[in-house]
Amino acid sequence: MRVTRLGRAAAIVALGLVAVACGGSTSGSGSGGSKGTISIGVDLPESGASSSSGLPTLNGVKYAVQKAGGSIDGWTLTVENRDDAVGGSYNTDKGVQNVTDLIGTNTVVAMVGPFNSAVAQAEIPITNVAGLTMISPSNTNPCLTKDLSTCAFHPQDLRKKANNYFRVVATDDLQGPAMADYAYNTLGIKTIGIMDEKSVYGVGIADAFQAQFVKDGGKYQRQSFDPKTTTDWRAILQGFKDFGATGIYMGGTDDQKACQPRGQMNALGIGSWPYLGGDGLTTSQCIDDAADSALGLSATTAGADASQIPSAAGVITDFKKSFTGANDYGAYTMTAYDAANIEIAAIKKAIDGGANPKSINAFREAVRNNVSHTTNFPGVLGSTTFDANGDTSQKIISIFAVKQETQSRVAVGDLTCGKAGGPNALYCFEWTKQVNFGA
Amino acid sequence: MERFQRLRATLSGDLGSTLFLLLGVLGVLWVIYLTIEQGPRSMIAVLIIGLTDGAIYALIALGYTMVYGIIELINFAHGDVFTLGAFFALAILGLFKLGPGANYTLAAIPILIFVTVVVMALNGLVNIAIERIAYRPLRNAPRLAPLITAIGMSFLVEGAMYLWRGPVDLRFPDLISENRYELFYGNFGPQGKVAPLIDLGVKDIMVVVASVFLVVMLSLFISRTKLGKAMRATAQDRDAAALMGIDINRTISATFFIGAALAGAGGIIYALYFNSIRFDLGFSAGLVAFTAAVLGGIGNIEGAALGGLLIGVIRALNDRYFSASWSDVVIFAILILVLVFRPTGLLGMQVPEK
């Protein structure tokens, strides 16, 4: 066959393209001596309104891979990232699609995620069958690992084989008791009014608070309201006042009007009472809803606050050198960093133990086994040991209180404050203390 | 079937009215008991809460009752027209630099009154448009058609507000003074401590005074003006009114206008009182106001006012002395009890004669 001049030129261009495609790999160092690729999968909500949750968390994983030099024992280490947000909000169907995809990618040996408990509930059955390790940096629904009587679903329903799901944060069933002790011992509230907005989360956390508060020796009055039809809480508040309460615990989330009763307390003369709650309250919407009574709001979150750990400061500074964007660091960057590092250690241990990453199923099982035996792993946020359920020994609950800040402090951008430009823009949740139930 | 009709007639006849009266007497006795047991200060505080809520329900109920009285339509979109008034007010006040962070100043009051008048007119026009587009074409259709259209209209108006300001709770400027008045000091507090018997805020007084003013104005309008007479005539017998030379379409439009104007004023009063509004506020507010209208006697203006106040007070009593979880159950149980035992309502229905 005669090769024309055009045909020769096309062949050279094609060869050039192939060379470029083969030569450039994804992240991590290039070829030359690499035994192959190992990936850590990621499934987080990363687009639209949820990007402020997911992207900083993804950065934690990327940072861990970067600090590992992009390789383990001669294998190239990369991140296989998937977004489970649809229309700006986490989507369980998309999450299921993503993990199925990650399982089908034969370089993925473990994953970090998901961000939302509802997505985890859908994903665990699939990853469990495939034996793919999941460490969540943020799921707090206790029913994913613990079989509580109040659970709508049970951990054993999600798993057919050995446990593959772990998390580095504490659970909602500890948030209530943490605040109960804080209310009774630190704030000196002996009689309290408890409310919930008839949601699974709200009733659950209020019940947990109530049980511990009674154990501490306190008295309570309990009321429920339907957020769809309630706009006036004054009669309920009057009841608490007449009962002799000196504070209120609200089990609920800001989008179910959990903070609106706070705005009606001043008119009843009880605006100085502490108003307490869980992580459904640690939002700017809540600070805004509290109107002119934002001070006196206190709420818990499940997990440690990295900014409070002295040894974490160095890591965060180093992180910000590589990730320089204003919104690159978030509440879950360090938990994701620890999660990824636990997996990296487990991968290394598996390789050193003779497992071959190319036999992907056996290798995934080796990694899973190593992760499940994680003991006293030195992370940024403390020392982690996973129990038989996959929960961390670091059962840390952080307590935040609203304080009035200066304009310049708010401008730093790391605090949750009232909406910018709004009347409560200078009121922000400030870390107050942490409680470690695992200690 | 005949037995069922007879049973129904018995239940809703004198027997029903007697049962209802009995219920009322029991209620009053319960309130007296609680006043003695828990102290008058607590009961007065609860009654103030109930009356201020009830006044707002009454303003919404008036619109329901007027429209039902004249064309026998339950205007499900009315609760959303109430919310719309608050949304309009929020936007217009913003133009006067009275945004969500603004506080009470004497200078703001005339602006507030001006904005209220403007919003009432705007709301009225919106409602006229709704009537023209959605209900007038169905005036002679079977009753189910305009009912379903009204439900659809409700979703439409809610959807419009959602698209306008989104799903979040919007803060409304706090333009009424926060001052409170404490009256009649005595040993009324818990454990006999010294406390005022009555603890009233300027806001509470504002709600009651504004609502009473609007209801009285409406009453005078209906009874003294020509248009009011036309509305009464149309409500009583539409065909006869037409024969008398009354422009039916204009009269009905006027009814919708006035109903929405009142609801708009109600929306502003609500927003000034609670400082927070959301696009779906009207859904439940409308249902409760409708219950109030039925309780008082659908079509009956005094009934709507009374029904609103009663529902407000009953709800406050329930939340304080029983359990707030039962709030909705109690209110809608009342609706059912009224429909079964006293369908004409407390003060009697006023619907077109057949």
Side-chain angles (χ1 to χ4, degrees), chain A residues 214-267:
Chain A
V214 166
K215 245 194 242 165
D216 288 342
K219 288 196 308 172
Y220 71 91
Q221 189 182 78
R222 180 74 179 266
Q223 287 270 35
S224 283
F225 65 87
D226 185 337
K228 286 190 295 299
T229 58
T230 309
T231 51
D232 189 350
W233 290 267
R234 291 175 301 157
I236 296 174
L237 294 169
Q238 180 73 35
F240 289 152
K241 186 177 171 190
D242 292 339
F243 182 68
T246 52
I248 292 188
Y249 186 82
M250 178 72 224
T253 49
D254 57 344
D255 60 331
Q256 301 301 317
K257 304 188 184 177
C259 296
Q260 287 191 18
R262 181 61 173 172
Q264 297 183 348
M265 283 168 73
N266 241 347

Short mmCIF file of all heavy atoms in Angstrom, two decimals, chain A residues 214-267:
data_model
loop_
_atom_site.label_atom_id
_atom_site.label_comp_id
_atom_site.label_asym_id
_atom_site.label_seq_id
_atom_site.Cartn_x
_atom_site.Cartn_y
_atom_site.Cartn_z
N VAL A 214 -32.05 13.92 83.45
CA VAL A 214 -32.71 13.30 84.60
C VAL A 214 -31.69 12.54 85.45
O VAL A 214 -31.69 12.63 86.68
CB VAL A 214 -33.84 12.34 84.13
CG1 VAL A 214 -34.29 11.45 85.26
CG2 VAL A 214 -35.00 13.15 83.58
N LYS A 215 -30.79 11.84 84.76
CA LYS A 215 -29.73 11.10 85.47
C LYS A 215 -28.87 12.05 86.31
O LYS A 215 -28.44 11.72 87.41
CB LYS A 215 -28.83 10.38 84.46
CG LYS A 215 -28.90 8.87 84.56
CD LYS A 215 -27.77 8.22 83.79
CE LYS A 215 -28.34 7.37 82.67
NZ LYS A 215 -27.42 6.95 81.67
N ASP A 216 -28.63 13.26 85.75
CA ASP A 216 -27.82 14.23 86.48
C ASP A 216 -28.57 14.78 87.69
O ASP A 216 -27.94 15.32 88.60
CB ASP A 216 -27.44 15.40 85.56
CG ASP A 216 -26.40 15.00 84.53
OD1 ASP A 216 -25.74 13.97 84.72
OD2 ASP A 216 -26.26 15.73 83.53
N GLY A 217 -29.89 14.63 87.69
CA GLY A 217 -30.67 15.10 88.82
C GLY A 217 -31.60 16.25 88.50
O GLY A 217 -32.21 16.84 89.38
N GLY A 218 -31.76 16.56 87.19
CA GLY A 218 -32.56 17.71 86.84
C GLY A 218 -34.03 17.38 86.63
O GLY A 218 -34.41 16.21 86.52
N LYS A 219 -34.85 18.44 86.58
CA LYS A 219 -36.27 18.27 86.28
C LYS A 219 -36.55 18.89 84.92
O LYS A 219 -35.90 19.86 84.52
CB LYS A 219 -37.13 18.99 87.34
CG LYS A 219 -37.14 18.29 88.68
CD LYS A 219 -38.29 18.81 89.54
CE LYS A 219 -38.25 20.32 89.61
NZ LYS A 219 -39.41 20.91 90.25
N TYR A 220 -37.55 18.37 84.23
CA TYR A 220 -37.82 18.89 82.89
C TYR A 220 -39.32 18.91 82.63
O TYR A 220 -40.10 18.21 83.27
CB TYR A 220 -37.14 18.02 81.83
CG TYR A 220 -37.80 16.66 81.68
CD1 TYR A 220 -38.82 16.46 80.75
CD2 TYR A 220 -37.41 15.59 82.48
CE1 TYR A 220 -39.45 15.23 80.64
CE2 TYR A 220 -38.02 14.36 82.36
CZ TYR A 220 -39.04 14.18 81.45
OH TYR A 220 -39.65 12.97 81.33
N GLN A 221 -39.70 19.74 81.64
CA GLN A 221 -41.05 19.67 81.07
C GLN A 221 -40.86 19.51 79.57
O GLN A 221 -40.01 20.18 78.98
CB GLN A 221 -41.83 20.94 81.37
CG GLN A 221 -43.30 20.83 81.00
CD GLN A 221 -44.07 22.13 81.27
OE1 GLN A 221 -43.99 23.08 80.51
NE2 GLN A 221 -44.81 22.17 82.37
N ARG A 222 -41.63 18.64 78.94
CA ARG A 222 -41.38 18.33 77.53
C ARG A 222 -42.57 18.70 76.66
O ARG A 222 -43.71 18.44 77.01
CB ARG A 222 -41.14 16.81 77.42
CG ARG A 222 -40.87 16.29 76.02
CD ARG A 222 -39.48 16.64 75.53
NE ARG A 222 -39.26 16.12 74.20
CZ ARG A 222 -38.68 14.95 73.93
NH1 ARG A 222 -38.26 14.19 74.92
NH2 ARG A 222 -38.52 14.55 72.69
N GLN A 223 -42.29 19.36 75.52
CA GLN A 223 -43.35 19.71 74.58
C GLN A 223 -42.87 19.44 73.15
O GLN A 223 -41.69 19.60 72.85
CB GLN A 223 -43.69 21.22 74.70
CG GLN A 223 -44.47 21.60 75.94
CD GLN A 223 -45.96 21.52 75.72
OE1 GLN A 223 -46.44 20.66 75.00
NE2 GLN A 223 -46.70 22.43 76.35
N SER A 224 -43.83 19.05 72.29
CA SER A 224 -43.53 18.86 70.87
C SER A 224 -44.35 19.85 70.06
O SER A 224 -45.47 20.15 70.44
CB SER A 224 -43.97 17.47 70.41
OG SER A 224 -43.11 16.49 70.81
N PHE A 225 -43.84 20.31 68.95
CA PHE A 225 -44.67 21.13 68.07
C PHE A 225 -44.48 20.69 66.63
O PHE A 225 -43.47 20.09 66.28
CB PHE A 225 -44.36 22.63 68.23
CG PHE A 225 -42.97 23.02 67.82
CD1 PHE A 225 -42.68 23.34 66.50
CD2 PHE A 225 -41.95 23.11 68.75
CE1 PHE A 225 -41.40 23.72 66.11
CE2 PHE A 225 -40.68 23.48 68.38
CZ PHE A 225 -40.40 23.79 67.06
N ASP A 226 -45.48 20.99 65.82
CA ASP A 226 -45.42 20.67 64.40
C ASP A 226 -44.94 21.91 63.66
O ASP A 226 -45.65 22.92 63.64
CB ASP A 226 -46.80 20.24 63.90
CG ASP A 226 -46.78 19.78 62.45
OD1 ASP A 226 -45.86 20.17 61.70
OD2 ASP A 226 -47.68 19.02 62.07
N PRO A 227 -43.76 21.87 63.07
CA PRO A 227 -43.24 23.09 62.44
C PRO A 227 -44.10 23.59 61.29
O PRO A 227 -44.08 24.78 60.98
CB PRO A 227 -41.85 22.67 61.95
CG PRO A 227 -41.85 21.20 61.95
CD PRO A 227 -42.83 20.74 62.97
N LYS A 228 -44.89 22.70 60.67
CA LYS A 228 -45.72 23.15 59.54
C LYS A 228 -46.84 24.07 60.01
O LYS A 228 -47.28 24.95 59.28
CB LYS A 228 -46.32 21.95 58.81
CG LYS A 228 -45.31 21.20 57.96
CD LYS A 228 -45.98 20.17 57.06
CE LYS A 228 -46.65 19.04 57.81
NZ LYS A 228 -45.70 18.25 58.62
N THR A 229 -47.33 23.87 61.22
CA THR A 229 -48.50 24.63 61.64
C THR A 229 -48.27 25.52 62.85
O THR A 229 -49.20 26.12 63.35
CB THR A 229 -49.66 23.67 61.99
OG1 THR A 229 -49.20 22.79 63.02
CG2 THR A 229 -50.09 22.86 60.79
N THR A 230 -47.03 25.60 63.31
CA THR A 230 -46.78 26.41 64.50
C THR A 230 -46.01 27.66 64.15
O THR A 230 -44.98 27.59 63.48
CB THR A 230 -45.98 25.60 65.55
OG1 THR A 230 -46.62 24.35 65.75
CG2 THR A 230 -45.91 26.35 66.86
N THR A 231 -46.53 28.80 64.60
CA THR A 231 -45.78 30.04 64.42
C THR A 231 -45.67 30.79 65.73
O THR A 231 -44.98 31.80 65.82
CB THR A 231 -46.48 30.97 63.41
OG1 THR A 231 -47.85 31.10 63.81
CG2 THR A 231 -46.42 30.41 62.01
N ASP A 232 -46.39 30.32 66.74
CA ASP A 232 -46.41 31.03 68.01
C ASP A 232 -46.09 30.05 69.13
O ASP A 232 -46.86 29.14 69.41
CB ASP A 232 -47.79 31.66 68.24
CG ASP A 232 -47.81 32.59 69.43
OD1 ASP A 232 -46.83 32.61 70.21
OD2 ASP A 232 -48.81 33.31 69.58
N TRP A 233 -44.92 30.22 69.72
CA TRP A 233 -44.48 29.30 70.77
C TRP A 233 -44.68 29.89 72.16
O TRP A 233 -44.27 29.30 73.15
CB TRP A 233 -42.98 28.98 70.58
CG TRP A 233 -42.72 28.15 69.38
CD1 TRP A 233 -42.64 26.79 69.31
CD2 TRP A 233 -42.50 28.62 68.05
NE1 TRP A 233 -42.38 26.38 68.02
CE2 TRP A 233 -42.30 27.49 67.22
CE3 TRP A 233 -42.47 29.89 67.46
CZ2 TRP A 233 -42.06 27.59 65.85
CZ3 TRP A 233 -42.23 29.98 66.10
CH2 TRP A 233 -42.03 28.84 65.31
N ARG A 234 -45.31 31.06 72.22
CA ARG A 234 -45.35 31.76 73.50
C ARG A 234 -46.11 31.00 74.57
O ARG A 234 -45.74 31.02 75.74
CB ARG A 234 -45.95 33.15 73.31
CG ARG A 234 -45.04 34.07 72.52
CD ARG A 234 -45.72 35.39 72.26
NE ARG A 234 -46.95 35.20 71.53
CZ ARG A 234 -47.95 36.08 71.54
NH1 ARG A 234 -47.87 37.17 72.26
NH2 ARG A 234 -49.04 35.85 70.85
N ALA A 235 -47.18 30.29 74.18
CA ALA A 235 -47.94 29.55 75.19
C ALA A 235 -47.07 28.42 75.76
O ALA A 235 -47.08 28.17 76.97
CB ALA A 235 -49.22 28.99 74.58
N ILE A 236 -46.31 27.76 74.88
CA ILE A 236 -45.39 26.70 75.35
C ILE A 236 -44.34 27.31 76.27
O ILE A 236 -44.05 26.79 77.35
CB ILE A 236 -44.69 26.02 74.16
CG1 ILE A 236 -45.71 25.30 73.28
CG2 ILE A 236 -43.61 25.06 74.64
CD1 ILE A 236 -45.10 24.72 72.01
N LEU A 237 -43.77 28.45 75.85
CA LEU A 237 -42.73 29.10 76.64
C LEU A 237 -43.28 29.55 77.99
O LEU A 237 -42.61 29.46 79.02
CB LEU A 237 -42.15 30.29 75.87
CG LEU A 237 -41.39 29.92 74.59
CD1 LEU A 237 -41.11 31.17 73.76
CD2 LEU A 237 -40.09 29.22 74.92
N GLN A 238 -44.54 30.05 77.97
CA GLN A 238 -45.18 30.46 79.22
C GLN A 238 -45.27 29.26 80.16
O GLN A 238 -45.05 29.39 81.37
CB GLN A 238 -46.58 31.01 78.92
CG GLN A 238 -47.36 31.48 80.12
CD GLN A 238 -46.84 32.78 80.69
OE1 GLN A 238 -46.38 33.65 79.96
NE2 GLN A 238 -46.88 32.91 82.00
N GLY A 239 -45.59 28.10 79.60
CA GLY A 239 -45.67 26.90 80.41
C GLY A 239 -44.33 26.57 81.06
O GLY A 239 -44.26 26.22 82.24
N PHE A 240 -43.25 26.68 80.28
CA PHE A 240 -41.91 26.44 80.84
C PHE A 240 -41.61 27.43 81.95
O PHE A 240 -41.04 27.11 82.98
CB PHE A 240 -40.85 26.58 79.75
CG PHE A 240 -40.86 25.47 78.73
CD1 PHE A 240 -40.41 25.70 77.44
CD2 PHE A 240 -41.29 24.19 79.05
CE1 PHE A 240 -40.41 24.68 76.49
CE2 PHE A 240 -41.29 23.17 78.11
CZ PHE A 240 -40.84 23.43 76.82
N LYS A 241 -42.00 28.68 81.70
CA LYS A 241 -41.73 29.74 82.68
C LYS A 241 -42.46 29.44 83.99
O LYS A 241 -41.86 29.51 85.07
CB LYS A 241 -42.20 31.06 82.08
CG LYS A 241 -41.88 32.29 82.88
CD LYS A 241 -42.35 33.52 82.10
CE LYS A 241 -42.27 34.77 82.95
NZ LYS A 241 -42.92 35.90 82.31
N ASP A 242 -43.74 29.08 83.86
CA ASP A 242 -44.52 28.79 85.07
C ASP A 242 -44.02 27.54 85.77
O ASP A 242 -44.18 27.38 86.98
CB ASP A 242 -46.00 28.61 84.71
CG ASP A 242 -46.65 29.92 84.24
OD1 ASP A 242 -46.10 30.99 84.57
OD2 ASP A 242 -47.67 29.86 83.55
N PHE A 243 -43.40 26.63 85.03
CA PHE A 243 -42.87 25.39 85.59
C PHE A 243 -41.64 25.67 86.44
O PHE A 243 -41.26 24.85 87.29
CB PHE A 243 -42.52 24.43 84.44
CG PHE A 243 -42.01 23.09 84.86
CD1 PHE A 243 -42.83 22.17 85.49
CD2 PHE A 243 -40.69 22.72 84.60
CE1 PHE A 243 -42.35 20.92 85.87
CE2 PHE A 243 -40.20 21.47 84.96
CZ PHE A 243 -41.05 20.58 85.60
N GLY A 244 -41.00 26.81 86.21
CA GLY A 244 -39.83 27.14 86.99
C GLY A 244 -38.53 26.85 86.26
O GLY A 244 -37.45 26.85 86.85
N ALA A 245 -38.63 26.62 84.95
CA ALA A 245 -37.41 26.34 84.18
C ALA A 245 -36.54 27.58 84.10
O ALA A 245 -37.03 28.71 84.24
CB ALA A 245 -37.80 25.87 82.78
N THR A 246 -35.23 27.34 83.88
CA THR A 246 -34.32 28.46 83.71
C THR A 246 -33.54 28.34 82.41
O THR A 246 -32.57 29.06 82.19
CB THR A 246 -33.32 28.55 84.89
OG1 THR A 246 -32.71 27.26 85.04
CG2 THR A 246 -34.00 28.95 86.16
N GLY A 247 -33.96 27.40 81.56
CA GLY A 247 -33.28 27.23 80.29
C GLY A 247 -34.14 26.36 79.39
O GLY A 247 -35.15 25.81 79.83
N ILE A 248 -33.74 26.27 78.11
CA ILE A 248 -34.50 25.46 77.16
C ILE A 248 -33.55 24.62 76.32
O ILE A 248 -32.52 25.11 75.87
CB ILE A 248 -35.34 26.37 76.24
CG1 ILE A 248 -36.43 27.03 77.06
CG2 ILE A 248 -35.94 25.59 75.08
CD1 ILE A 248 -37.42 27.79 76.27
N TYR A 249 -33.92 23.36 76.08
CA TYR A 249 -33.19 22.53 75.12
C TYR A 249 -34.10 22.27 73.93
O TYR A 249 -35.24 21.86 74.11
CB TYR A 249 -32.76 21.18 75.74
CG TYR A 249 -31.89 20.38 74.79
CD1 TYR A 249 -30.53 20.65 74.68
CD2 TYR A 249 -32.44 19.39 73.97
CE1 TYR A 249 -29.73 19.94 73.79
CE2 TYR A 249 -31.64 18.68 73.08
CZ TYR A 249 -30.29 18.96 73.00
OH TYR A 249 -29.49 18.26 72.12
N MET A 250 -33.57 22.53 72.74
CA MET A 250 -34.37 22.38 71.53
C MET A 250 -33.80 21.26 70.67
O MET A 250 -32.67 21.36 70.18
CB MET A 250 -34.35 23.69 70.75
CG MET A 250 -35.09 23.63 69.44
SD MET A 250 -36.87 23.57 69.63
CE MET A 250 -37.28 22.32 68.44
N GLY A 251 -34.55 20.18 70.51
CA GLY A 251 -34.11 19.10 69.63
C GLY A 251 -34.67 19.35 68.25
O GLY A 251 -35.88 19.22 68.06
N GLY A 252 -33.82 19.73 67.28
CA GLY A 252 -34.35 19.98 65.96
C GLY A 252 -33.35 20.66 65.06
O GLY A 252 -32.20 20.88 65.44
N THR A 253 -33.79 20.98 63.85
CA THR A 253 -32.91 21.65 62.89
C THR A 253 -33.49 23.01 62.53
O THR A 253 -34.69 23.23 62.60
CB THR A 253 -32.77 20.82 61.60
OG1 THR A 253 -34.07 20.42 61.17
CG2 THR A 253 -31.93 19.60 61.85
N ASP A 254 -32.58 23.91 62.09
CA ASP A 254 -32.98 25.29 61.82
C ASP A 254 -34.05 25.39 60.75
O ASP A 254 -34.91 26.26 60.82
CB ASP A 254 -31.76 26.12 61.42
CG ASP A 254 -31.05 25.55 60.20
OD1 ASP A 254 -31.29 24.38 59.85
OD2 ASP A 254 -30.23 26.27 59.61
N ASP A 255 -34.03 24.47 59.78
CA ASP A 255 -35.02 24.58 58.71
C ASP A 255 -36.40 24.11 59.16
O ASP A 255 -37.38 24.29 58.44
CB ASP A 255 -34.57 23.80 57.46
CG ASP A 255 -34.39 22.34 57.74
OD1 ASP A 255 -34.06 21.98 58.87
OD2 ASP A 255 -34.58 21.52 56.82
N GLN A 256 -36.48 23.50 60.35
CA GLN A 256 -37.78 23.16 60.92
C GLN A 256 -38.13 24.12 62.04
O GLN A 256 -38.82 23.76 63.00
CB GLN A 256 -37.77 21.70 61.45
CG GLN A 256 -37.46 20.66 60.41
CD GLN A 256 -38.44 20.67 59.27
OE1 GLN A 256 -39.64 20.78 59.46
NE2 GLN A 256 -37.92 20.58 58.05
N LYS A 257 -37.67 25.33 61.91
CA LYS A 257 -38.01 26.43 62.82
C LYS A 257 -37.48 26.23 64.25
O LYS A 257 -38.05 26.79 65.18
CB LYS A 257 -39.53 26.64 62.88
CG LYS A 257 -40.17 26.88 61.53
CD LYS A 257 -41.62 27.26 61.70
CE LYS A 257 -42.30 27.40 60.36
NZ LYS A 257 -43.72 27.70 60.49
N ALA A 258 -36.41 25.46 64.41
CA ALA A 258 -35.95 25.17 65.76
C ALA A 258 -35.49 26.42 66.50
O ALA A 258 -35.50 26.44 67.73
CB ALA A 258 -34.80 24.17 65.72
N CYS A 259 -35.07 27.45 65.79
CA CYS A 259 -34.56 28.63 66.49
C CYS A 259 -35.57 29.77 66.58
O CYS A 259 -35.29 30.79 67.21
CB CYS A 259 -33.28 29.11 65.83
SG CYS A 259 -31.99 27.87 65.96
N GLN A 260 -36.73 29.60 65.98
CA GLN A 260 -37.70 30.70 66.04
C GLN A 260 -38.28 30.93 67.42
O GLN A 260 -38.56 32.07 67.77
CB GLN A 260 -38.80 30.47 64.99
CG GLN A 260 -38.26 30.73 63.60
CD GLN A 260 -39.33 30.79 62.55
OE1 GLN A 260 -40.50 30.96 62.84
NE2 GLN A 260 -38.90 30.64 61.31
N PRO A 261 -38.50 29.87 68.23
CA PRO A 261 -38.98 30.15 69.59
C PRO A 261 -38.06 31.11 70.34
O PRO A 261 -38.52 31.90 71.16
CB PRO A 261 -38.99 28.77 70.25
CG PRO A 261 -39.13 27.81 69.14
CD PRO A 261 -38.42 28.43 67.96
N ARG A 262 -36.74 31.05 70.02
CA ARG A 262 -35.79 31.92 70.69
C ARG A 262 -36.16 33.38 70.47
O ARG A 262 -36.05 34.21 71.38
CB ARG A 262 -34.37 31.65 70.16
CG ARG A 262 -33.28 32.49 70.80
CD ARG A 262 -33.20 32.21 72.24
NE ARG A 262 -32.06 32.87 72.90
CZ ARG A 262 -31.90 32.88 74.21
NH1 ARG A 262 -32.78 32.30 74.99
NH2 ARG A 262 -30.85 33.48 74.74
N GLY A 263 -36.63 33.70 69.28
CA GLY A 263 -36.97 35.08 68.96
C GLY A 263 -38.19 35.58 69.71
O GLY A 263 -38.45 36.78 69.74
N GLN A 264 -38.96 34.66 70.33
CA GLN A 264 -40.17 35.09 71.03
C GLN A 264 -39.98 35.11 72.54
O GLN A 264 -40.93 35.36 73.29
CB GLN A 264 -41.32 34.14 70.67
CG GLN A 264 -41.64 34.20 69.18
CD GLN A 264 -42.82 33.33 68.80
OE1 GLN A 264 -43.27 32.51 69.58
NE2 GLN A 264 -43.32 33.50 67.59
N MET A 265 -38.74 34.83 72.99
CA MET A 265 -38.54 34.70 74.43
C MET A 265 -38.41 36.05 75.12
O MET A 265 -38.78 36.20 76.28
CB MET A 265 -37.31 33.83 74.70
CG MET A 265 -37.61 32.35 74.49
SD MET A 265 -36.17 31.30 74.47
CE MET A 265 -35.72 31.29 76.19
N ASN A 266 -37.90 37.05 74.41
CA ASN A 266 -37.72 38.36 75.01
C ASN A 266 -39.04 38.95 75.49
O ASN A 266 -39.14 39.50 76.58
CB ASN A 266 -37.10 39.32 73.99
CG ASN A 266 -35.76 39.82 74.47
OD1 ASN A 266 -35.40 39.66 75.62
ND2 ASN A 266 -35.02 40.43 73.56
N ALA A 267 -40.06 38.80 74.64
CA ALA A 267 -41.36 39.39 74.96
C ALA A 267 -41.95 38.77 76.22
O ALA A 267 -42.80 39.37 76.88
CB ALA A 267 -42.31 39.20 73.79
#
